[in-house]
Amino acid sequence: PAPDGTRYEGREAVGKFWEDFFRNSANAHIEIEEIFGMGLRCVMRWRYSWGEGHIRGVDVYQIRDGLIYEKLSYVKG
């Protein structure tokens, strides 16, 4: 929910979120349109589509000790 979304911490919680998300969205497809990094940041531009339409968004990642430490998602809507 706006403005900050829901926070998921840890491998298990993040994995469960995506598992549930795709189970409930059988026709969903995420296409990576562009991805690039600089230092300990990475930006990914994507297109999420389902049977009736699509949305676009951007994810901003922060890397720490070689792992994703933080991921912020923004949707163009």
Side-chain angles (χ1 to χ4, degrees):
D4 293 325
T6 303
R7 183 181 179 104
Y8 298 93
E9 291 187 54
R11 180 182 294 244
E12 187 175 319
V14 172
K16 180 169 178 6
F17 167 81
W18 286 114
E19 187 177 297
D20 293 346
F21 179 85
F22 284 110
R23 182 182 310 111
N24 295 322
S25 304
N27 295 324
H29 176 74
I30 295 178
E31 175 186 347
I32 297 172
E33 296 181 323
E34 181 180 17
I35 189 167
F36 60 90
M38 181 184 300
L40 298 177
R41 297 268 183 197
C42 176
V43 176
M44 181 173 70
R45 190 169 54 92
W46 48 263
R47 181 179 191 268
Y48 171 73
S49 59
W50 60 94
E52 306 84 45
H54 74 275
I55 57 172
R56 283 195 155 88
V58 173
D59 293 342
V60 179
Y61 296 87
Q62 181 178 352
I63 308 301
R64 185 179 289 171
D65 298 324
L67 300 172
I68 296 171
Y69 173 75
E70 178 182 62
K71 174 183 171 269
L72 301 172
S73 297
Y74 301 94
V75 175
K76 177 180 170 60

